[in-house]
Amino acid sequence: MTVVAAHPKGVAVLGSTGSIGTTALRVLDRQRQRFSVRALTANSNGALLREQARQFSPAFVGMVESQPDADGAWKSGTEALITAATRDDVDIVLNAIVGAAGLDATLAALEGGKRVALANKETLVIAGDLVRKACGTGTGEVVPVDSEHSAILQCITGHPTAQVRRVVLTASGGPFRDWSDERFASATVEDALRHPTWRMGKKITIDSATLANKALEVIEAHFLFGLPYENIDVVVHPQSVVHSFVEFIDGSVVAQMSVPTMELPVLYALTHPERVPDDGVPTFDPVKLSPMTYEPVNHARFPALRLGVAAGIAGGAAPAVFNAANECAVAAFLNGSIRFADIPRAISSALEELGAMPGASREELLAADAAARRHVKEMFGC
Ligand code: NAD
Ligand code: MG
């Protein structure tokens, strides 16, 4: 028998107009008995936000950049994110904002005792220690939406972390995995945006092509599960069916699989540690999904992964510098100002120059973030 809560849990979806945001609303639409959408926020896509507000009738709508809607009911500015994340009628904050812009809403929600269903991995990369501290003060908790971390959580739930020897994050390898060196040297924005297995926002799609995304995810895993960096490995798995492996201290390896869809990790982040009936995920057919293959990372072609892991190991402001340099370089690549290979160059140069900046407080981390963005802009004159 399935027990449905008498009172649906209140959910705020930050970044509701993006790839994860729209995926989450599809899940929430099927799960209206269990969850009620109480707040929606977006950056600037007013038309889609209006349509979502009509469909879900949330008590609060915020749009950061643009003017509020005609009748003045919508809130604007970055405070709208904090207001949405800390409302009394909100139990779960699904943070699907892209980039450093999501940080303050995560911290505010955690300090307010909410569950944060976290897609915005940049939050943990910039300020993992502050996030851990914010969780330690009350009932606030982070449950990952990222598919690899959801997989790890699904594998380890019920086991103390001390029983985990190692995790292996899977990576699709991105669109350039099997390109010749010659072809790779002239990769365009359009090429980089053609991800083989996932349809996602532009920034994470470029991060997947450079493998900077996997570096962000190694740091994310370190902070989420308290694992030392030497116990977090990465393997390329082009089919994106196994979402990660967990190796336990007795040598047994547990993996979580599904066809590539973000609907499952979004739903699990809302219901963890429970599972609820849902028919959004296509049936698993191991024959159709065969073969599943694995290969090592080509670090010479994708230096961003090692740069990011080294930044994670260095700690302090280094992960924030890595993240900000990457965000800035990806934006420059997307607008045609720099080449694909300039992205890891920008990251490396920013880390060399600024990686040792202090990073104990939010203010220090934001100063390092701003310095890294300035550094990349000066480097390329953009
Ligand atoms: P996206 O670009 O499709 O959507 C981003 C959302 O954030 C939009 O709703 C946008 O309005 C909002 N936003 C952008 N800038 C903002 C700002 N300055 N202030 C407030 N809101 C802002 O991105 P996405 O692909 O949905 O990714 C969102 C996050 O989820 C990223 O951190 C990404 O790494 C992570 N993630 C995404 C996927 C995926 O499948 N798309 C998978 C795993 C993790
Ligand atoms: Mg991922």
Side-chain angles (χ1 to χ4, degrees):
M1 190 178 75
T2 309
V3 179
V4 176
H7 298 291
K9 285 192 173 148
V11 181
V13 182
L14 312 184
S16 65
T17 56
S19 164
I20 291 288
T22 51
T23 300
L25 289 181
R26 275 200 302 280
V27 172
L28 288 162
D29 194 30
R30 292 197 297 270
Q31 295 288 341
R32 284 183 189 247
Q33 282 177 297
R34 292 183 178 82
F35 300 103
S36 167
V37 175
R38 304 266 161 76
L40 294 173
T41 76
N43 196 40
S44 56
N45 186 346
L48 180 53
L49 187 60
R50 194 165 303 112
E51 170 57 24
Q52 293 176 338
R54 195 195 52 72
Q55 197 187 349
F56 289 94
S57 309
F60 180 92
V61 181
M63 185 155 67
V64 174
E65 276 214 335
S66 312
Q67 295 299 310
D69 69 327
D71 66 11
W74 291 9
K75 299 292 178 265
S76 61
T78 50
E79 320 82 68
L81 304 175
I82 308 294
T83 310
T86 54
R87 288 175 60 88
D88 286 344
D89 61 355
V90 164
D91 305 292
I92 303 175
V93 176
L94 197 147
N95 187 344
I97 296 171
V98 59
L103 173 64
D104 284 344
T106 300
L107 293 174
L110 292 173
E111 280 154 13
K114 316 290 188 195
R115 166 176 291 194
V116 175
L118 188 68
N120 179 241
K121 61 190 89 182
E122 294 89 349
T123 281
L124 274 170
V125 171
I126 299 165
D129 283 326
L130 297 185
V131 169
R132 281 220 285 231
K133 219 177 278 168
C135 291
T137 57
T139 56
E141 60 173 351
V142 176
V143 183
V145 167
D146 219 349
S147 56
E148 296 77 1
H149 306 75
S150 176
I152 294 168
L153 183 65
Q154 292 181 55
C155 293
I156 68 171
T157 294
H159 300 277
T161 320
Q163 290 179 0
V164 175
R165 182 192 285 165
R166 186 171 69 110
V167 299
V168 184
L169 306 179
T170 52
S172 72
F176 303 132
R177 182 182 59 86
D178 52 6
W179 282 32
S180 68
D181 286 344
E182 201 182 23
R183 197 171 164 219
F184 178 65
S186 57
T188 65
V189 171
E190 210 186 19
D191 295 328
L193 284 175
R194 214 172 286 127
H195 194 277
T197 48
W198 299 99
R199 293 287 153 268
M200 310 179 285
K202 284 185 179 176
K203 192 260 177 181
I204 186 177
T205 304
I206 302 302
D207 287 354
S208 301
T210 59
L211 262 63
N213 182 53
K214 219 38 68 175
L216 298 173
E217 292 186 353
V218 168
I219 299 171
E220 185 185 7
H222 165 79
F223 283 111
L224 278 172
F225 304 112
L227 291 166
Y229 283 100
E230 65 265 27
N231 296 358
I232 307 171
D233 287 337
V234 174
V235 68
V236 173
H237 166 46
Q239 298 80 17
S240 305
V241 172
V242 171
H243 301 304
S244 278
F245 298 97
V246 176
E247 183 180 281
F248 288 93
I249 46 178
D250 58 2
S252 180
V253 177
V254 178
Q256 184 266 338
M257 301 181 208
S258 73
V259 296
T261 169
M262 289 308 295
E263 297 201 14
L264 191 54
V266 164
L267 177 63
Y268 189 71
L270 299 172
T271 65
H272 167 80
E274 305 297 331
R275 291 186 183 275
V276 300
D278 189 75
D279 55 12
V281 179
T283 307
F284 182 75
D285 181 340
V287 176
K288 272 199 193 139
L289 295 169
S290 297
M292 289 187 225
T293 59
Y294 304 93
E295 55 193 73
V297 173
N298 179 345
H299 288 286
R301 177 169 290 186
F302 303 112
L305 174 54
R306 277 194 172 147
L307 287 168
V309 175
I313 293 167
V321 168
F322 170 81
N323 178 69
N326 180 54
E327 277 190 32
C328 194
V330 168
F333 173 67
L334 283 171
N335 72 28
S337 307
I338 66 172
R339 290 172 311 127
F340 188 77
D342 290 331
I343 300 173
R345 274 185 54 219
I347 296 170
S348 172
S349 169
L351 280 170
E352 215 162 280
E353 192 81 9
L354 307 162
M357 282 181 75
S361 64
R362 173 184 169 280
E363 289 64 34
E364 286 178 347
L365 292 165
L366 292 183
D369 174 291
R373 287 170 203 266
R374 268 197 312 274
H375 180 86
V376 173
K377 283 187 181 148
E378 281 164 17
M379 187 173 166
F380 296 106
C382 59

